[in-house]
Structure formats: C-alpha cells, structure tokens
C-alpha cells in the first residue's frame, strides 16, 4: 500500500518515511505544495499525509483542489498548533482526519490504519498497456504473461508512463515521480528508459517505449504493427 507524505520539514518527512516503511507501507515524499498536488493527482496512493503550511501551495488549497477534481483519496492533515488554519478548516476542505503537531508516532500510525479501514480502499489497480501489465501493489511487471524484474526506479518510470496511457510524459515529470529528492538531471531518466527498453521491449521484439521528440516518452500498445 502506497502513502504520499507531503511535508516540507525534510527531517520530519524522512523520519515518517522510515517509520511507515517499517510498518510495511511504500512511502513517497513531496517537499512542496505543487509537487504534492501533482503526485496526489496520479491516484497512485491509498492515503495522503498532508502538512498544511507548505511552500508553493498550502495544504488547505491542495485538499480543496483534489476534492474539486473528484479525487477521493483519504487525507490526514498535519496541523501546527499555532498554524494559520485550524482543524475545523482542514476538515471543511475535505480532509478526513487531522493530527496536531507535535504528534505521537504511534497515534499517527493508528489513525492511518483506521482511515484506510474506513475508506475501504481497494487494492491499487493493475495497470495495463497492451500486453504489458503492472501490479502496482505487488510491484510486479509482466510482458505477455512473462514476469520482468525491474528496479524500484524502473518500476516508477514505467508506472507513470502506464498511467498516462499512450500520452507523452516529459522527462521533468518522470524525474519528479521517480526521483523526488533529486535535482533535475535528464540523464537519470534517459538511462532508466534505456534499461527498461532492454527489459520490456528488446527481448520481446517490441518497441512500446517510444521517444517523443522534444517532450519525453510514451508507452503504447504496439502489437497491431506485428
Ligand atoms: Ca510545514
């Protein structure tokens, strides 16, 4: 189960990631509001832990925007005691629960579990583009039924391309998704796409992972060409 933590206090965010990973969750981090909104929109998460006071875009606006777009991912808001937004306002924007800082880690984990139970969050979907499938929860990739072993970064790149279903995805978006903590370096993406092609395309005589000149990449169902 994947959780998105949107928190600009990097130490706190990393502590949360370490703790929640030990609880068996997969955790992605966003350190500013715009990145957090963008990542939450992918719909890849069973739950979002959202700080309210964030650079770029505050949590109050992120929450309201997600609900306006019909995104129903459960959101647990972290509020500072003397924060600009109080708990009532957080719930008004569509958050499902809140926790005031400083909070007990044990309480946080208990609240997260309760939220997931209440929301009855279904298992994340299996994404499919042609005969390539990605089991997001199990982190399993298959081509024509054959299991293909991917590194976590490769899986993240392929997952975002699969979610966009044939649409071009920029190198910047792929970087944000797969290397949220890294500075912009297109070489990271290019190298990962090359290794992905060697795994999911070449052995199967396929060309599904295509370069879109001037933009980035897309993942298509290329079976009809055969
Ligand atoms: Ca903050």
């Amino acid at each position: 189960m994947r959780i998105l933590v949107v928190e600009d206090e990097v130490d706190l965010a990393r502590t949360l990631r370490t703790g929640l990973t030990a609880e068996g969750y997969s955790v992605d981090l966003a350190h500013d509001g715009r990145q957090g909104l963008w990542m939450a929109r992918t719909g890849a998460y069973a739950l979002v832990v959202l700080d309210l006071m964030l650079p770029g875009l505050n949590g109050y606006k992120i929450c309201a925007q997600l609900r306006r777009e019909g995104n129903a991912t459960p959101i647990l808001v972290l509020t500072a005691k003397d924060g600009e937004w109080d708990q009532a306002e957080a719930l008004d924007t569509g958050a499902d629960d809140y926790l005031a800082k400083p909070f007990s880690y044990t309480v946080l984990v208990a609240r997260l579990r309760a939220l997931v139970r209440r929301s009855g969050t279904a298992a994340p979907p299996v994404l499919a583009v042609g005969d390539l499938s990605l089991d997001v929860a199990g982190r399993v990739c298959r081509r024509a039924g054959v299991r293909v072993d991917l590194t976590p970064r490769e899986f993240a790149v392929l997952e975002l391309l699969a979610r966009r279903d044939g649409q071009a995805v920029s190198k910047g978006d792929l970087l944000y998704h797969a290397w949220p903590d890294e500075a912009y370096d297109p070489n990271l993406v290019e190298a990962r796409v090359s290794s992905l092609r060697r795994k999911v395309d070449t052995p199967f005589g396929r060309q599904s992972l295509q370069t879109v000149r001037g933009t980035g990449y897309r993942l298509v169902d290329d079976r009809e060409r055969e």
Side-chain angles (χ1 to χ4, degrees):
M1 187 166 288
R2 288 183 91 188
I3 293 182
L4 174 64
V5 174
V6 189
E7 168 61 76
D8 59 314
E9 290 165 51
V10 175
D11 288 347
L12 175 57
R14 293 201 170 137
T15 303
L16 285 175
R17 177 164 62 184
T18 305
L20 293 172
T21 302
E23 299 285 333
Y25 298 103
S26 303
V27 180
D28 288 344
L29 300 181
H31 297 309
D32 71 69
R34 291 185 195 287
Q35 185 187 5
L37 175 61
W38 189 88
M39 290 171 77
R41 273 175 173 157
T42 62
Y45 302 100
L47 202 136
V48 177
V49 176
L50 180 64
D51 185 30
L52 280 185
M53 303 305 289
L54 291 164
L57 192 66
N58 67 47
Y60 176 93
K61 288 185 175 157
I62 292 171
C63 203
Q65 182 65 29
L66 286 171
R67 296 307 186 230
R68 240 191 331 266
E69 293 171 2
N71 185 315
T73 307
I75 297 174
L76 184 143
V77 149
L78 301 177
T79 64
K81 217 169 184 169
D82 303 315
E84 185 180 349
W85 314 100
D86 67 17
Q87 286 89 349
E89 280 175 300
L91 296 179
D92 277 349
T93 63
D96 298 274
D97 200 357
Y98 64 83
L99 209 51
K101 291 181 184 175
F103 52 83
S104 140
Y105 180 73
T106 313
V107 172
L108 173 70
V109 171
R111 295 279 193 92
L112 292 180
R113 285 212 184 98
L115 260 186
V116 169
R117 260 202 317 274
R118 275 211 314 267
S119 70
T121 307
V126 174
L127 303 170
V129 177
D131 61 355
L132 182 81
S133 72
L134 292 174
D135 173 348
V136 176
R139 316 305 283 174
V140 174
C141 170
R142 285 193 169 83
R143 165 72 85 191
V146 178
R147 184 170 174 146
V148 180
D149 288 325
L150 301 180
T151 68
R153 301 283 198 203
E154 288 167 348
F155 195 95
V157 167
L158 202 57
E159 179 188 349
L160 184 56
L161 289 165
R163 285 188 186 283
R164 299 290 179 86
D165 198 17
Q167 301 297 309
V169 183
S170 71
K171 289 177 188 175
D173 281 356
L174 288 166
L175 271 165
Y176 244 1
H177 184 72
W179 291 265
D181 297 331
E182 300 276 338
Y184 183 79
D185 178 5
N187 292 326
L188 288 173
V189 177
E190 288 159 16
R192 227 31 67 220
V193 167
S194 296
S195 64
L196 274 168
R197 282 176 172 149
R198 285 196 296 273
K199 290 183 177 183
V200 304
D201 274 348
T202 312
F204 301 90
R206 306 290 292 276
Q207 293 183 313
S208 66
L209 223 171
Q210 301 179 344
T211 300
V212 182
R213 201 171 287 273
T215 307
Y217 303 97
R218 64 180 178 175
L219 181 65
V220 300
D221 179 4
D222 62 332
R223 285 177 300 177
E224 62 268 22
R225 294 178 177 180
E226 290 167 12

